[in-house]
């Protein structure tokens, strides 16, 4: 199935954006039409989960740990002025679990994975490897796209929990150094501030962010035309567009979660 | 302006080609926006022969070849392969037909994240019920045939241009297709490698009865492999026959192409 329109050369900038948006929508619809049909690329899905997950553990750990420390330092200054230092663990837990953890993890992963997927699939396109998969009846959409999208949808929430945990650890260490807070007090306060659905809903929304990153990056790589310059552009666009869409989707998802939960 | 596209005739209305014709194109048209690349191309290729499509850059050779495996869909016209209308097939039916066609890409198009062995095993494992041992034996036999068995553990980045073409050829025949399509099989190779690859193409025809369709502007390769030649210019065949017929043509473009 061709996802790249044949009229592109004749279009102006606005029409081109509209055409590309339509193609992305078609690419997305194709995912939902095909992901439950064979062939099921189980081994490649595991490979991609390793690529997305295991190889992002250090990056997200450092991100989480640093956020925890910085948030704790910044929040402490404000809370001390109001004599409310005791609510620091709760404030930290709420801000990390509900918003900063999911969004920042997703943005960091969009940078790493969006660029990687855009470049890898784009290179495969311009070197005719995707055509080679197609003529060998190997269903490249299943092999390249569906596996990556599913891997991101599964691994983003897991990595978010990991980042959140490291952020809380960072916040705790900062609190110990700054005020000698006991770990039982810190973690009891932090956990008691969270409701079950705070954790579930706000962590699970990163599955949608993972979907956005993967589908946008795969689309841009899959439809590259030209050579290395165009692959570079697709890579850059994959990061920029997925990051913007994550932020926009977050607005919608937060609104929906406030409305329904 | 491109000519308006009209729907293809239904399969029932079109008579299939005779049994000894393995590929037939009828009045094939293809446009990209305002660029009308194929303007009514028709050809027939007999089983067990090597057909060569010659022509300059931008004449539509690659576009024509891609229609034979439906990497591109025609705007108008019919594509018959092994007695079936390829242009009407989709999904699993199209994939099944593709298994009878091998494709040697200009760059080799080897999967660069896999070794040579994995490149071939990847295809074999998904389309056959062979045991791992049987697959290994077939891969080694095929690599022997292109004289590159020692390269099985290497990655494509570790191969020369000629080796990539030969491995690409080995991968293309691993499923024992009836037809092989060669996209510029010798472009960028030194004369010794050109002769080596060309002789492999001839052996595929003679030893395995594989029908070949090659697009090239390499005359040394064409000299070695051609049974029937077609000259494509601006989306139309302007001459066809044996390579000698084309050489003897009085057409000024052909005289220029053959450097006379």
């Amino acid at each position: 199935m061709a996802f790249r329109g044949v009229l592109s050369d004749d279009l102006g900038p606005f029409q081109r954006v509209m055409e590309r948006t339509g193609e992305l929508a078609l690419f997305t619809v194709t995912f939902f039409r095909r992901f439950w049909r064979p062939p099921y690329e189980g081994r490649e899905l595991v490979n991609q989960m390793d690529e997305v997950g295991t190889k992002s553990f250090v990056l997200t750990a450092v991100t989480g740990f640093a956020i925890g420390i910085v948030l704790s330092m910044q929040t402490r200054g404000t809370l001390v002025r109001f004599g409310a230092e005791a609510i620091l663990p709760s404030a930290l837990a709420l801000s990390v679990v509900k918003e900063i953890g999911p969004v920042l993890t997703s943005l960091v992963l969009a940078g790493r994975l969006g660029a990687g997927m855009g470049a890898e699939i784009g290179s495969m396109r311009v070197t005719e490897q995707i055509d080679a998969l197609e003529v060998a009846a190997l269903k490249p959409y299943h092999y390249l796209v569906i596996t990556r999208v599913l891997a991101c949808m599964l691994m983003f929430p897991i990595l978010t929990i990991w980042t959140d945990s490291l952020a809380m650890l960072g916040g705790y260490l900062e609190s110990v150094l700054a005020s000698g807070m006991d770990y039982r007090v810190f973690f009891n306060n932090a956990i008691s501030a969270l409701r079950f659905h705070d954790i579930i809903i706000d962590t699970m929304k990163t599955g949608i962010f993972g979907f956005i990153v993967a589908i946008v990056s795969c689309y841009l790589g899959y439809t590259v035309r030209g050579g290395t310059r165009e692959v570079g552009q697709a890579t850059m666009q994959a990061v920029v567009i997925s990051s913007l869409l994550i932020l926009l989707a977050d607005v919608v998802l937060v609104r929906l979660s406030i409305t329904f939960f | 302006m491109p000519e308006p596209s009209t729907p293809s005739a239904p399969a029932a209305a079109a008579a299939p080609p005779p049994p000894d014709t393995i590929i037939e194109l009828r009045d094939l048209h293809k446009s990209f926006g305002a660029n009308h690349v194929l303007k009514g191309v028709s050809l027939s290729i007999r089983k067990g022969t090597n057909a060569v499509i010659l022509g300059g850059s931008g004449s539509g050779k690659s576009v024509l070849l891609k229609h034979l495996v439906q990497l591109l869909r025609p705007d108008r016209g019919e594509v018959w392969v092994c007695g079936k209308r390829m242009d009407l097939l989709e999904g699993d039916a199209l994939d099944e037909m593709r298994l009878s066609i091998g494709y040697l890409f200009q760059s080799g198009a080897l999967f660069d994240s896999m070794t040579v062995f994995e490149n071939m095993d990847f295809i074999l494992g998904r389309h056959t019920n062979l045991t791992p041992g049987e697959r290994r034996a077939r891969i080694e036999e095929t690599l022997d045939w292109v004289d590159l068995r020692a390269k099985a553990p290497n990655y494509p980045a570790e191969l020369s241009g000629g080796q990539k073409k030969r491995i690409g050829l080995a991968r293309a025949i691993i499923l024992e297709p009836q037809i092989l399509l060669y996209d510029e099989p010798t472009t960028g190779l030194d004369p010794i490698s050109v002769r080596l690859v060309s002789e492999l193409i001839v052996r595929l025809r003679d030893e395995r009865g594989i029908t070949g369709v090659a697009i090239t502007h390499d005359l040394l390769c064409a000299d070695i492999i051609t049974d029937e030649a077609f000259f494509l210019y601006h989306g139309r065949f302007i001459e066809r026959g044996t390579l000698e017929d084309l050489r003897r043509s009085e057409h000024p473009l052909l005289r220029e192409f053959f450097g006379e």
Side-chain angles (χ1 to χ4, degrees), chain B:
Chain B
M1 285 292 290
E3 292 173 19
S5 295
T6 56
S8 299
D20 68 332
T21 299
I22 196 162
I23 294 172
E24 187 160 297
L25 302 179
R26 296 175 184 169
D27 193 29
L28 203 66
H29 289 257
K30 181 68 181 176
S31 298
F32 297 97
N35 185 16
H36 200 166
V37 180
L38 298 180
K39 302 168 183 168
V41 171
S42 298
L43 67 77
S44 295
I45 295 168
R46 282 176 296 115
K47 265 183 195 164
T49 61
N50 277 335
V52 172
I53 298 165
L54 299 163
S57 299
S59 57
K61 301 189 301 292
S62 292
V63 171
L64 176 61
L65 203 67
K66 285 179 177 173
H67 277 84
L68 297 179
V69 277
Q70 295 297 292
L71 280 175
L72 290 172
R73 295 275 180 174
D75 296 335
R76 181 149 52 105
E78 299 170 17
V79 180
W80 290 87
V81 177
C82 300
K84 290 187 179 163
R85 277 285 298 271
M86 279 285 276
D87 56 299
L88 297 180
L89 298 178
E90 286 183 353
D92 291 341
L94 177 59
D95 280 343
E96 199 177 314
M97 276 300 294
R98 282 173 167 162
L99 294 180
S100 59
I101 305 171
Y103 200 118
L104 175 62
F105 288 87
Q106 189 173 350
S107 59
L110 300 173
F111 308 128
D112 51 19
S113 59
M114 302 179 194
T115 64
V116 167
F117 181 89
E118 288 164 348
N119 258 275
M120 300 172 78
D121 193 46
F122 183 56
I123 293 174
L124 211 48
R126 279 152 201 262
H127 291 308
T128 66
N129 294 320
L130 299 175
T131 64
E134 290 167 334
R135 295 207 304 267
R136 173 170 289 279
R138 189 186 294 184
I139 290 167
E140 286 175 350
E141 180 199 336
T142 312
L143 287 174
D144 272 339
W145 195 81
V146 295
D147 202 19
L148 285 173
R149 184 171 176 171
K151 298 293 179 187
N154 290 80
Y155 282 90
E158 298 163 337
L159 304 174
S160 69
Q163 288 171 339
K164 279 182 191 168
K165 297 267 189 188
R166 283 152 65 195
I167 298 292
L169 197 55
R171 191 182 66 178
I173 61 172
I174 193 74
L175 291 174
E176 300 174 345
Q178 298 179 56
I179 299 166
L180 258 174
L181 309 179
Y182 307 97
D183 185 354
E184 306 278 6
T186 54
T187 298
L189 302 184
D190 62 89
I192 295 169
S193 299
V194 169
R195 196 168 284 281
L196 201 61
V197 172
S198 304
E199 282 165 0
L200 286 173
I201 294 172
V202 171
R203 282 179 60 199
L204 283 170
R205 179 198 63 193
D206 296 344
E207 295 173 14
R208 303 186 182 211
I210 293 178
T211 306
V213 183
I215 58 171
T216 185
H217 40 232
D218 183 335
L219 292 178
L220 173 57
C221 169
D223 268 330
I224 296 169
I225 68 173
T226 305
D227 293 317
E228 190 174 15
F230 301 83
F231 192 89
L232 192 65
Y233 179 70
H234 280 193
R236 289 193 177 92
F237 286 132
I238 59 171
E239 198 67 81
R240 64 184 72 196
T242 64
L243 201 58
E244 270 315 299
D245 292 337
L246 265 64
R247 277 190 206 282
R248 283 198 296 266
S249 171
E250 293 300 318
H251 197 293
L253 281 167
L254 280 155
R255 294 186 70 81
E256 190 182 345
F257 185 82
F258 287 105
E260 290 167 10

Side-chain angles (χ1 to χ4, degrees), chain A:
Chain A
M1 186 171 199
F3 295 101
R4 191 73 192 262
V6 295
L7 302 174
S8 302
D9 295 344
D10 306 330
L11 301 180
F14 177 72
Q15 290 166 309
R16 194 180 297 271
V17 169
M18 294 309 292
E19 188 198 42
R20 295 287 272 160
T21 307
E23 287 168 5
L24 175 58
L26 177 65
F27 196 80
T28 307
V29 168
T30 303
F31 172 83
F32 289 108
R33 284 176 55 203
R34 293 191 188 172
F35 85 93
W36 50 276
R37 292 185 186 160
Y40 305 112
E41 300 283 358
R43 186 180 297 179
E44 182 60 13
L45 176 61
V46 172
N47 286 342
Q48 289 305 322
M49 286 171 71
D50 177 47
E51 188 63 39
V52 172
T54 317
K55 292 176 183 167
S56 301
F57 266 119
V58 174
L59 176 68
T60 48
V62 173
T63 305
F65 195 69
I67 295 169
I69 292 173
V70 171
L71 264 183
S72 183
M73 288 192 294
Q74 296 276 25
T75 314
R76 178 183 311 285
T78 309
L79 293 178
V80 163
R81 273 193 279 158
F82 297 102
E85 196 182 348
I87 66 164
L88 176 70
S90 312
L92 191 65
L94 284 170
S95 56
V96 164
V97 172
K98 286 187 72 65
E99 195 53 43
I100 292 175
V103 172
L104 212 62
T105 306
S106 300
L107 289 175
V108 166
L109 291 173
R112 188 180 106 70
L113 301 171
M117 288 179 195
E120 186 182 3
I121 296 179
S123 302
M124 289 184 73
R125 170 61 75 194
V126 300
T127 55
E128 298 181 306
Q129 291 176 56
I130 294 179
D131 285 343
L133 287 167
E134 189 91 45
V135 298
L138 290 171
K139 299 193 188 300
Y141 192 92
H142 280 79
Y143 182 70
L144 297 174
V145 179
I146 291 175
T147 51
R148 282 166 172 75
V149 174
L150 291 178
C152 282
M153 290 178 75
L154 293 169
M155 294 311 293
F156 269 48
I158 294 171
L159 288 166
T160 300
I161 292 170
W162 168 246
T163 309
D164 289 352
S165 307
L166 267 292
M168 292 310 295
L169 180 66
Y172 164 68
L173 289 177
E174 195 281 333
S175 298
V176 169
L177 293 173
S179 61
M181 188 179 281
D182 182 76
Y183 76 92
R184 281 166 297 201
V185 173
F186 183 91
F187 286 105
N188 277 339
N189 282 354
I191 291 166
S192 63
L194 294 170
R195 294 172 299 171
F196 182 67
H197 78 255
D198 289 333
I199 301 169
I200 295 300
I201 301 291
D202 293 303
T203 302
M204 287 302 136
K205 75 181 177 187
T206 59
I208 295 173
F209 297 160
F211 176 82
I212 289 170
V213 170
I215 204 84
V216 167
S217 309
C218 289
Y219 162 71
L220 289 165
Y222 209 85
T223 54
V224 160
R225 281 181 188 161
T228 47
R229 183 166 164 268
E230 285 75 15
V231 173
Q233 284 174 346
T235 303
M236 180 265 292
Q237 286 172 353
V239 176
V240 172
I241 295 173
S242 357
S243 301
L244 287 175
L245 288 179
I246 284 172
L247 295 171
L248 290 174
D250 190 46
V251 173
V252 175
L253 292 170
V254 167
R255 183 65 256 172
L256 287 175
S257 73
I258 289 169
T259 304
F260 293 107
F261 301 98

